[in-house]
Amino acid sequence: MTVPIANVENEVGETIPPLTAHAVSVSLPTWSANVGYEEGQEWVLSRMKTGYPRFFIHKSIEKFAAAVVESYGLLGERALLFPSHAVATRCVGFFHNQAPELGPQQVRIVDLVPSAEKAGSDGVEGVSPKVSAVIFPGDHFKIAKAFWQHSGDGVSSRRAEYCHNLFSKGILIDSKKREETPRMCKGPKRYRTKTSIDITGHPSVTSNSSPEGPSGAAEVQEPTQFVEERFGRNLDLSLTSNAKLAIRRRIAGSLTADVGLTEALALEEDHERSRKVAGFSEDDVYLYPTGMSSIFNTHRNLMAGRGHLKSINYGFPYIDTLKILEKFGPGCLFYGFGSSEDLDDLEKRLESGETYLALFTEFPGNPLLKSPDLRRIRELADKYGFVVVIDETVGNFLNVNVLPYADVVVSSLTKVFSGDSNVMGGSAILNPKGRYYDVLKQTWEADYEDNHWAEDSVFLERNSRNFVSRIERINANAEAICDVLRTHPRVKQVNYPKYSPTRPFYDQCRTPGGGYGGLLSATFYSTADAVAFFDDLDTAKGPSLGTNFTLSSPYVILAHYTELDWAASFGVEANLVRFSVGLEDTEELVNIFRHALEAIPN
Ligand SMILES: Cc1ncc(COP(=O)(O)O)c(C=O)c1O
């Protein structure tokens, strides 16, 4: 089990975890650092070594994008990198919607693929290293960045590093050039030149022609890789497809043992923790590069399968879900309170003949931890005909089983499924008993691209092996923190599924032995109190959730800084602090929270 870190070096802009090249969180240890980040203040931005990957473009990705512009772009242009031509085409489509004045020469795609000569080489073929760059006028960066953030379909930093290396060596080339070059006739395998990708799956960084040392083993790896690969072993990318299968089985609930990959795949199915829907298997689990990608592509697939209808967003959602529904289709009916009155209103609209594509909801919601009445939503969906999409990221499927109420269940695997805060991932699963299963399955089968980068899959598989034992401990720690906060007079409100008025809805879906999860939030009587508490709180502080270590953040500042009044109108207050509780020793953690509460001035 990963050693939890409660006392990270509290330095602005440091990676969380520290010294982790592909960390997905970053230290914003004070209230003012969070405000500074949101306002683009130099003292914060200049110190950011990294950031949450959908919001902050990793420096390795920036570097590769700059190299692509240098080769294929013009002065003043920029590029963003995507894992496939199809994704890049969607980004271009978004550009055309947002800035119709830009012509096809101004926003264009360069597909980088292995040269014909190298395409069949060992390593290259198995890993499928490719990148599609969208090149655009630099002053329109905001548009590209919005697509990057909302869709979650940008390249990962590991893919960028891997592909940049191949690009530098002339192995990854413009696909148009590849078409022009006749494919070289290959001799017997033993006479072919060795690819510059070593057997560990990492491109060698030294020689141009002979990457291997005399022993035939790969010689040099980038130093950051040594730091990152805390497992002490090199990655073996030939294991990628097995890693992906193990991840999908884990998400299906049929693989729960904490064992190595080979053993895991040989195990009998775990029936106890399965999703309790007849006929459901890992064949209905689809892996995505990020949680947002699973939501974005679900919405896209639903429109492809059922037509361009409006969606419903029920409950106050994670920021980008609502943005997707608003920006990428005919719009959305938003019920930010997620109340029973909202469902009454919806029922009236449905009765009067309004039709909808789908209802999107989180179980429970982030950051208020309210649980929607899934039973009633399912009844309305069956009666009036719309798809139910449930985001189970916060509850997670070991604590709650929402699949029987859903047509599609989506999740961010970046969070507690991974736990290590060093890789992104997402999943969408289809309910084989759902009313729209046949049409949805057909759409997914026709459209689905596996864009989860090979190295990321290997990391995610390793991180998720001990998922079951971590959840149990996290549930217990979160309850202990709730107890401390709930009994303190300076805390206005604690939000946690167990103490929410919506608890009966949560309990309806709670698994036997399931708990209430690791996420909670608290509000204070004044911003000054919240600031004093937060600044004194000795946990890691930054974006993301579901980490193996406790991670706190003034979430509303970070997610809704430009729309604080709007958020407040749904009861999401600017002084809210959100805690994602980790695996630390319970007593130690409780003391950390008590200490911070004492810092609130009288
Ligand atoms: C409830 C919920 N759904 C989806 C996402 C998006 O996941 P990702 O950041 O992996 O794209 C988040 C991110 O915080 C989330 O909290």
Side-chain angles (χ1 to χ4, degrees):
M1 189 174 286
T2 312
V3 180
I5 47 160
N7 297 310
V8 292
E9 236 186 290
N10 277 346
E11 274 193 37
V12 175
E14 283 295 331
T15 65
I16 299 179
L19 298 176
T20 302
H22 301 283
V24 304
S25 188
V26 63
S27 186
L28 293 168
T30 58
W31 200 277
S32 63
N34 284 273
V35 171
Y37 172 70
E38 286 304 316
E39 292 186 348
Q41 292 171 13
E42 194 51 27
W43 73 275
V44 181
L45 294 196
S46 62
R47 293 166 74 181
M48 304 280 290
K49 291 196 174 145
T50 196
Y52 195 72
R54 284 188 300 96
F55 292 82
F56 181 101
I57 298 182
H58 193 280
K59 292 187 177 178
S60 300
I61 302 174
E62 289 273 22
K63 249 195 232 164
F64 187 14
V68 171
V69 172
E70 207 175 302
S71 297
Y72 298 101
L74 304 168
L75 199 66
E77 288 187 325
R78 288 185 74 171
L80 275 189
L81 309 177
F82 297 97
S84 75
H85 184 80
V87 175
T89 305
R90 274 172 225 134
C91 177
V92 172
F94 186 66
F95 256 106
H96 291 327
N97 274 339
Q98 302 289 310
E101 70 279 8
L102 296 177
Q105 284 315 308
Q106 287 168 290
V107 184
R108 58 194 188 280
I109 299 173
V110 175
D111 294 311
L112 297 169
V113 296
S115 67
E117 190 188 335
K118 302 283 182 187
S121 311
D122 296 343
V124 169
E125 219 162 42
V127 181
S128 184
K130 59 187 173 70
V131 159
S132 292
V134 174
I135 301 179
F136 53 85
D139 54 358
H140 285 71
F141 181 71
K142 244 182 144 169
I143 296 176
K145 174 76 184 311
F147 181 81
W148 178 276
Q149 177 187 322
H150 304 324
S151 75
D153 268 340
V155 293
S156 77
S157 45
R158 288 189 185 89
R159 182 193 287 256
E161 287 179 4
Y162 195 107
C163 291
H164 192 178
N165 212 294
L166 300 185
F167 180 71
S168 310
K169 292 180 173 143
I171 296 172
L172 220 57
I173 61 165
D174 182 352
S175 66
K176 289 195 196 93
K177 294 226 175 74
R178 173 168 138 158
E179 279 152 26
E180 285 158 16
T181 331
R183 200 180 159 98
M184 281 170 64
C185 178
K186 289 187 207 157
K189 198 172 174 184
R190 65 182 179 280
Y191 295 126
R192 274 187 253 146
T193 10
K194 288 249 162 49
T195 161
S196 59
I197 296 179
D198 64 45
I199 50 155
T200 65
H202 288 296
S204 160
V205 290
T206 45
S207 94
N208 290 327
S209 54
S210 174
E212 297 191 348
S215 63
E219 263 182 348
V220 181
Q221 290 190 320
E222 294 191 46
T224 53
Q225 283 166 358
F226 284 116
V227 177
E228 197 212 2
E229 288 167 18
R230 289 171 288 144
F231 305 96
R233 285 189 286 151
N234 290 324
L235 292 171
D236 181 350
L237 294 185
S238 65
L239 296 179
T240 302
S241 54
N242 283 349
K244 286 177 192 258
L245 180 58
I247 292 169
R248 285 169 45 233
R249 284 198 182 157
R250 224 160 257 152
I251 294 163
S254 55
L255 169 60
T256 50
D258 180 1
V259 292
L261 187 50
T262 314
E263 200 183 328
L265 293 182
L267 285 174
E268 294 262 319
E269 199 176 313
D270 177 347
H271 290 289
E272 196 195 319
R273 289 200 172 86
S274 72
R275 301 274 190 158
K276 309 278 183 281
V277 170
F280 175 71
S281 75
E282 76 254 11
D283 294 341
D284 288 316
V285 178
Y286 296 86
L287 197 54
Y288 288 90
T290 63
M292 229 50 243
S293 170
S294 72
I295 296 171
F296 178 79
N297 286 296
T298 293
H299 180 236
R300 215 170 50 73
N301 283 352
L302 295 182
M303 288 194 294
R306 299 199 63 229
H308 277 234
L309 291 165
K310 267 191 181 184
S311 289
I312 303 150
N313 189 138
Y314 181 74
F316 194 86
Y318 176 67
I319 176 169
D320 289 304
T321 303
L322 185 56
K323 301 283 184 231
I324 287 171
L325 302 182
E326 286 173 346
K327 290 188 181 180
F328 292 89
C332 155
L333 177 60
F334 179 48
Y335 290 118
F337 288 105
S339 63
S340 56
E341 291 76 23
D342 287 341
L343 287 182
D344 295 341
D345 182 78
L346 175 63
E347 191 164 9
K348 261 190 227 137
R349 287 169 184 268
L350 293 164
E351 261 169 19
S352 74
E354 289 186 24
T355 51
Y356 293 93
L357 177 71
L359 180 146
F360 287 73
T361 193
E362 292 172 11
F363 197 91
N366 172 13
L368 294 183
L369 288 308
K370 287 190 200 170
S371 305
D373 181 352
L374 294 186
R375 204 171 272 175
R376 184 162 175 212
I377 289 171
R378 184 72 258 163
E379 279 166 13
L380 291 176
D382 288 340
K383 186 164 175 196
Y384 296 103
F386 56 84
V387 172
V388 177
V389 182
I390 303 175
D391 180 341
E392 67 174 12
T393 304
V394 174
N396 90 67
F397 62 85
L398 291 182
N399 287 327
V400 291
N401 183 18
V402 298
L403 185 60
Y405 299 97
D407 295 283
V408 189
V409 172
V410 290
S411 185
S412 166
L413 308 179
T414 314
K415 309 294 173 7
V416 73
F417 185 77
S418 160
D420 267 334
S421 186
N422 61 5
V423 64
M424 304 282 284
S427 60
I429 69 182
L430 304 182
N431 179 348
K433 291 279 169 260
R435 168 172 174 182
Y436 298 103
Y437 179 72
D438 290 344
V439 64
L440 298 187
K441 189 76 185 169
Q442 266 174 30
T443 317
W444 252 265
E445 289 298 301
D447 178 84
Y448 178 71
E449 274 188 330
D450 178 0
N451 285 329
H452 201 250
W453 173 243
E455 292 168 298
D456 294 326
S457 301
V458 171
F459 269 86
L460 190 56
E461 189 280 316
R462 281 189 190 163
N463 294 353
S464 57
R465 283 178 196 171
N466 59 3
F467 181 46
V468 176
S469 59
R470 281 190 284 121
I471 294 299
E472 286 163 3
R473 191 175 168 97
I474 283 172
N475 287 344
N477 272 353
E479 294 213 11
I481 299 306
C482 271
D483 291 344
V484 175
L485 293 170
R486 275 164 51 84
T487 50
H488 199 279
R490 305 301 290 274
V491 176
K492 186 172 154 195
Q493 187 173 318
V494 175
N495 303 306
Y496 190 58
K498 186 174 180 180
Y499 302 112
S500 165
T502 60
R503 175 176 170 174
F505 303 137
Y506 187 97
D507 284 342
Q508 256 169 31
C509 300
R510 193 151 60 91
T511 56
Y516 293 88
L519 198 72
L520 58 123
S521 61
T523 53
F524 295 82
Y525 289 101
S526 72
T527 303
D529 286 4
V531 172
F533 167 80
F534 182 76
D535 286 357
D536 195 82
L537 187 65
D538 192 15
T539 65
K541 290 180 251 184
S544 197
L545 61 93
T547 41
N548 292 339
F549 46 88
T550 299
L551 183 63
S552 313
S553 117
Y555 173 78
V556 185
I557 297 292
L558 216 46
H560 298 288
Y561 196 67
T562 57
E563 50 189 21
L564 290 177
D565 290 343
W566 171 82
S569 73
F570 294 104
V572 182
E573 297 178 22
N575 73 42
L576 176 144
V577 182
R578 194 187 69 180
F579 315 97
S580 174
V581 180
L583 297 167
E584 295 92 339
D585 174 74
T586 312
E587 206 181 313
E588 219 175 277
L589 206 51
V590 160
N591 286 337
I592 287 173
F593 276 75
R594 285 215 174 103
H595 191 274
L597 288 166
E598 280 163 20
I600 300 174
N602 284 317

